[in-house]
Amino acid sequence: MGTFLSSGAAVPRGIRLLGDNGAGSVRGVVEPEEVRTRRLVLRRIQPADTDVFVAVHTAAETHPFDAHVRGTREQILELLDKFQRSWISDGIGYWAIRLAGSEDVIGFGGVRHWVEEDEPVLNLAYRFWPSAWGNGYATEMAEAALQWARRNRPHHPVMIVTDADNAPSARVAEKLGFVLHTQRHRDGLPELVFRLPAPQPYPS
């Protein structure tokens, strides 16, 4: 399942960033290469994740609503290279996602810079193995990514783009406070764009 999300909601409880000692330390926010939530470890994608990244993004079962975006191994490797370059150019990119206490990657997601109709925005995307669906992991990951966005990209709106029939992704967006911004077609197929204004920064 894949989606692009945004939010300006209050900081959720249960998120702990690495380096947060309870006294305002935000090392894990400023340098978000590894972030921990209540149940998840979100870390920058590593070379050792290449095979599972390709598997997640080419498997039919992970594309129940958007089979048209599945690619070949070569295309997905190009996509992975693009995602990795986002870390170099923008200081943020998509994470590999695993459960705390396990080394197995259950999906990929996070925020990445994007330009939408000439406007700088943040896309928040995810794709999980089906065995991880239905546990709230996408929402938990999204909240952590949005906490980072509020602190570090407060002037960037964040958005979700999903296929029109992807009801689970739409429910996640609405749960986080998104509103439908527009409906459009891409490659001849209908999709929904959810959006909220630029997240507000934390008080200094």
Side-chain angles (χ1 to χ4, degrees), residues 57-102:
H57 286 82
T58 58
E61 60 267 32
T62 63
H63 295 73
F65 305 101
D66 57 355
H68 58 284
V69 305
R70 289 173 58 202
T72 64
R73 178 181 176 85
E74 290 72 23
Q75 290 170 327
I76 297 305
L77 288 174
E78 291 178 5
L79 186 67
L80 175 58
D81 180 66
K82 182 183 298 184
F83 290 171
Q84 292 290 52
R85 282 188 273 118
S86 294
W87 281 94
I88 298 170
S89 62
D90 302 319
I92 187 64
Y94 297 141
W95 293 303
I97 303 167
R98 62 180 177 83
L99 295 176
S102 171

Side-chain angles (χ1 to χ4, degrees), residues 35-137:
V35 174
R36 292 178 183 268
T37 69
R38 182 171 61 87
R39 299 179 295 173
L40 305 175
V41 177
L42 317 171
R43 59 163 175 77
R44 183 172 176 171
I45 301 171
Q46 302 169 357
D49 301 318
T50 298
D51 286 344
V52 68
F53 183 90
V54 172
V56 167
H57 286 82
T58 58
E61 60 267 32
T62 63
H63 295 73
F65 305 101
D66 57 355
H68 58 284
V69 305
R70 289 173 58 202
T72 64
R73 178 181 176 85
E74 290 72 23
Q75 290 170 327
I76 297 305
L77 288 174
E78 291 178 5
L79 186 67
L80 175 58
D81 180 66
K82 182 183 298 184
F83 290 171
Q84 292 290 52
R85 282 188 273 118
S86 294
W87 281 94
I88 298 170
S89 62
D90 302 319
I92 187 64
Y94 297 141
W95 293 303
I97 303 167
R98 62 180 177 83
L99 295 176
S102 171
E103 294 300 318
D104 295 334
V105 173
I106 62 172
F108 298 87
V111 290
R112 177 173 175 258
H113 281 256
W114 187 255
V115 177
E116 176 73 16
E117 297 181 349
D118 298 322
E119 179 186 17
V121 300
L122 291 173
N123 280 341
L124 179 55
Y126 63 80
R127 193 172 297 277
F128 286 90
W129 285 117
S131 59
W133 297 356
N135 295 293
Y137 297 145

Side-chain angles (χ1 to χ4, degrees), residues 150-179:
R150 283 192 291 273
R151 288 184 182 271
N152 295 279
R153 301 293 188 270
H155 303 298
H156 282 65
V158 196
M159 59 185 293
I160 167 175
V161 180
T162 186
D163 289 88
D165 60 351
N166 192 341
S169 288
R171 284 196 296 270
V172 170
E174 292 166 355
K175 181 178 180 180
L176 292 170
F178 300 112
V179 295

Side-chain angles (χ1 to χ4, degrees), residues 21-38:
N21 60 11
S25 171
V26 291
R27 179 176 62 82
V29 174
V30 175
E31 300 177 349
E33 295 201 7
E34 184 170 293
V35 174
R36 292 178 183 268
T37 69
R38 182 171 61 87

